[in-house]
Amino acid sequence: MTMPMAIESRAGIAEAARAGKVWIRAEKRVVSYAELQKRIGSIAALAASHGLAIGDRVVMATRDDCEAALLFSALVLNGLTAVNLEPDAGAERAGALIARAAPALVILDRDIAARWPLPAGTPLIEIVPAAAGGGLLGGLLKARAKEGLAAELDRLGEAVPPAVIPPETLAYILFTSGTTQQPKGVCISHRALFSHLATLSRVQGIGPQSAILNTLMLSHADGMIQGPVMAFHAQATLHRPLAFAINTIEQLLDSVYQLRITHMIAVPTMLALIVRLSRNQDDAFKGGDFQLMISCGAALEAALWEAVEAKFGINLINLYGLTETVAGGVFAGATLGTRVPGSIGRPVDCELRIIDAEGQDVPQGGEGELLIRGDLLMSGYFGDEALTREAIEADGWFHTGDIATLSSDGIYAICGRKKNIVIRGGLNIQPEEVAEVLALHPAVRDALAFGLPDVDWGERLVALVAADGVSEDELLRFCGEKIEPRKVPSRIVIAAELPKGRSGKIIIDAARALFEVAAEAGPSQPAVQRSAEREQADAEDRLLALAASHFRTDRARLTLASVPEDVIGWDSLAHMEFVIAIEQAFGVSLTPREVISIDSLGKALALVAPR
Amino acid sequence: MIGSQTILILSLWLAAAAVLGWIVPERWRMPVMTGCGMGLVGSLSPLSLGFLLLGTGASMMLVQRRAGPRATGLFVAAVATIYAVFLLRATALDGWGLPAAALPLGMAYYVLRLVHYALEADRGRLRAHGLQDVLAYQFFPAVLFVGPINRFDDFLRDLRRRRWDPELVSTGLGRVLAGAVKIVLIANYLLAEKLAPLAGLAPGTAGRLYADSVLMWANLYMQFSGYSDIAIGLGAIMGFRLPENFRWPFLARNIGDFWRRWHITLSSWCRDYVHMPALARWRSPLLATTASMLVLGLWHEASMHYLLWGVYHAMGLTIWRRFAALTAPAYARLGPAGQRGWNVLAGLLTIHFVMFSYPVVEAIETFARSG
């Protein structure tokens, strides 16, 4: 089978460069295909000057997104193996990963280089942010003040990248969650990467006319591969207009319209926030260009799937995959004829199997571990034969660690997880890694971290530790210094001892129960919480009934999200009648300011029955 | 009537905003359009430029310092007072002893936008924004002089969505043309020149009065909706979707419906910033309706005439509401054919209620003076 690989991608980039196309449009910088092409040449020159050969590893970490995209892409397209580390990684973890990767060259932001321990003798090039300064003068000064990588690349000029890159050459190594003693470096070959890019662009309909919106972190596969890499593969344009945050959601949605976005890549947490926090923007995707929303990174619940499609009138694809399968492999969505909310659909260009504990195929309808096989699969875990053999069978089947079922019409659905991993907002956290860090604290005797369900994040990470003479705050601070912020537990409960079985192993269920009892006094104690929830549901019911009678509409058509624009009978007089009615029903008195502030039924409920 | 020199200046600035707003580098587009808006206001009324800059700055300061409802109330009161003074001067009520002077150009509209912005910001309902956004809104050239009274949050959404869109631009050009036809051809030529003599009935007769009223309202509608069309069209050419100001007002089935179809952005402003607060405070629909129709009337002109006109409409609205509540069961029993007939009748009654507002108010004034 022949497929477009790095060489063809380089030709495509050259073509797009000649056409003057934009590769990445970020908040403060626009990167053209010409710039990418130039960077491929200068990295070739850099490789020559450092004596790097195809397959040599280069560790990189930078907070500058455009720089990260340029560097990663140019390394891959030169046949060098990019080891892209998360800039937020703590010094210990980063040091362990770099030592493990044994790179031929390290390229880091200057401040990151100062923080991370580097193996002696490994050449380091620093990325130095261009001197600040605006206008013509600033530009001139900047040009003169180039330092570090930029200066070196300028000095070296450009060279010709290798004419042949063998398909089994590693394109990149991505360290996923794993403990410090056993980091899991997922090795993705050119074969896996480019065959999967072909699948992704075909299934998702991404081509030279596409405008992709992907604001996910570039140190993860969903951000980098479905972002800059997918863009250059398809000669499309990637947009990263702003960092995703609660207070930028409105702006992000407006930019979908403004930038004529055709494809948006998001994790379910983002989708949930967009559905909840967009305002007056249901037409955000109706600018005439939008084609597809791609949900990835974590399980997409059926209700959220339905809500996204209904609210914005768009099609959605739910992508299932792992870092080990580049990005995806299994797709579900209306455009593919597999729109089954809550499912992961059908595999494309790969095969699936469901097996039981004995390794036998489970009959259709039964539950078992999901196995995947195909060109998209990783080559193995870097430098860890045992771990690789454990994960990939001799005949090429990879154990995903997810529990799945297959329906009679060939649709797969995930129903559980075999491996111990917490997926918070689409990003994986290995609880053992966090527990390991907690155990490093001198006051901690024993630590256990695990996930709990969370409305906003899908899951959140919490920890139970056995310790004396230390506060939760102190432990949180300690974690913050050692690991990436997103991995710091949202709660740490301190107990005298962790519940252990006879063998000395921690009994997980008992630990969870202990955590819940100790976690919070007052309102979130389970029993109290349940009754408070019931009360809230009851209040909501009464309020909706009152609204229905005063706005002369059907109770079933109202929700807490209903706003005056959506309810025909909700004019200013009906508004006042409704206010008076809820004041009487709930025994409260609202100030004029509060009366005016009611712009949704949810707001009304918050005023009359605060949580 | 606006003089031809004014029209020339206006056209030049608007054309500059529309063209430069697309051809300069992207990050300069909004500042350049805002600059054109400032140039436009400044070259026609330096007083308005100063006042609007001051008002924008002050409202922005309130927001940045989170000044709270009291300071916001003071700001609104100050803006209203200044507007009242200018309005009194412009329409020189007898006996106030103020020297007459025209209302600074655009003031009637931008005071409403200043108040809208301050109140919405105070209620915490606006998406995050900066000074540049507020200036762009307050000095948006298309709506400076005849409305529509657009809302800040909608403007900001469109600002962030702004992109070159040939379809929108061509729709805009069509709207401008339609507006010009309404004003020049229908109102100024057909209604004023060709049809006016047809009402050649003897002055003072009921027939003449009726014909005059019909012509006047037709003219008013064509003129005003024509100017709104031009403004909305210009907005579209500049990449913004502005709110509609008229929605077939003469098809209204009742007086409440009429006010949701006539000068929509003004009546919805009054609904949100007079009617709702008054209703929330006093909890009396009668008082709230009267307050909002008085403000709506007096906004046009500080005169006894518009005061009475406001009361007239407030009465109409209140009586209609009572009537509708009382007759709702009877209406429901009418059946489809009966309801259709009823609606036609109600529509005719509504048009005439609106048309007679001026003659009735004039009659009352005449009566009051003679008595």
Side-chain angles (χ1 to χ4, degrees), chain B residues 291-319:
Chain B
S292 80
M293 292 321 284
L294 282 181
V295 169
L296 199 148
L298 292 173
W299 170 82
H300 290 86
E301 190 181 285
S303 64
M304 185 53 73
H305 182 81
Y306 270 100
L307 191 121
L308 290 172
W309 184 87
V311 172
Y312 174 90
H313 274 284
M315 272 172 54
L317 280 163
T318 307
I319 292 169

Side-chain angles (χ1 to χ4, degrees), chain A residues 250-251 254 257-258 260 279-281 283-284 287 289 572-573 575-576 583 590 593 595-597, chain B residues 26 69 122-123 125 127 153-154 157 160-164 241 275-277 279-280 283 285 321:
Chain A
E250 290 161 6
Q251 235 170 311
D254 286 337
Y257 189 100
Q258 195 231 340
R260 297 183 181 276
R279 37 185 286 169
N280 198 5
Q281 289 177 303
D283 60 348
D289 305 281
S572 55
L573 287 180
H575 182 92
M576 206 58 229
E583 281 182 333
L590 301 180
R593 195 175 162 79
V595 172
I596 294 167
S597 76
Chain B
E26 205 164 321
D122 177 47
R123 291 171 193 175
R125 286 199 193 162
R127 42 187 91 190
D153 215 43
D154 295 340
R157 186 191 57 205
R160 294 193 175 143
R161 287 184 179 185
R162 190 166 182 268
R163 63 186 197 187
W164 174 246
R241 286 177 175 77
H275 190 257
M276 266 319 291
L279 198 57
R283 310 213 164 179
R321 224 172 270 135

Side-chain angles (χ1 to χ4, degrees), chain A residues 331-395:
Chain A
F331 302 80
T335 49
L336 308 169
T338 50
R339 187 186 173 280
V340 184
S343 83
I344 57 167
R346 294 199 182 105
V348 179
D349 299 341
C350 62
E351 307 166 80
L352 296 182
R353 246 178 99 187
I354 298 176
I355 59 160
D356 60 21
E358 278 74 49
Q360 300 304 310
D361 283 288
V362 168
Q364 183 256 310
E367 287 186 3
E369 190 186 4
L370 186 69
L371 270 54
I372 186 168
R373 182 166 76 175
D375 272 341
L376 78 179
L377 203 60
M378 66 164 178
S379 312
Y381 293 112
F382 183 71
D384 200 330
E385 272 301 310
L387 200 61
T388 304
R389 267 200 306 278
E390 206 178 291
I392 307 177
E393 303 276 343
D395 51 1

Side-chain angles (χ1 to χ4, degrees), chain B residues 17 21 28-37 139-141 162 238 240:
Chain B
W28 290 107
R29 287 179 184 174
M30 262 345 272
V32 162
M33 284 177 63
T34 307
C36 287
F139 285 95
F140 184 54
R162 190 166 182 268
M238 296 176 192
F240 288 79

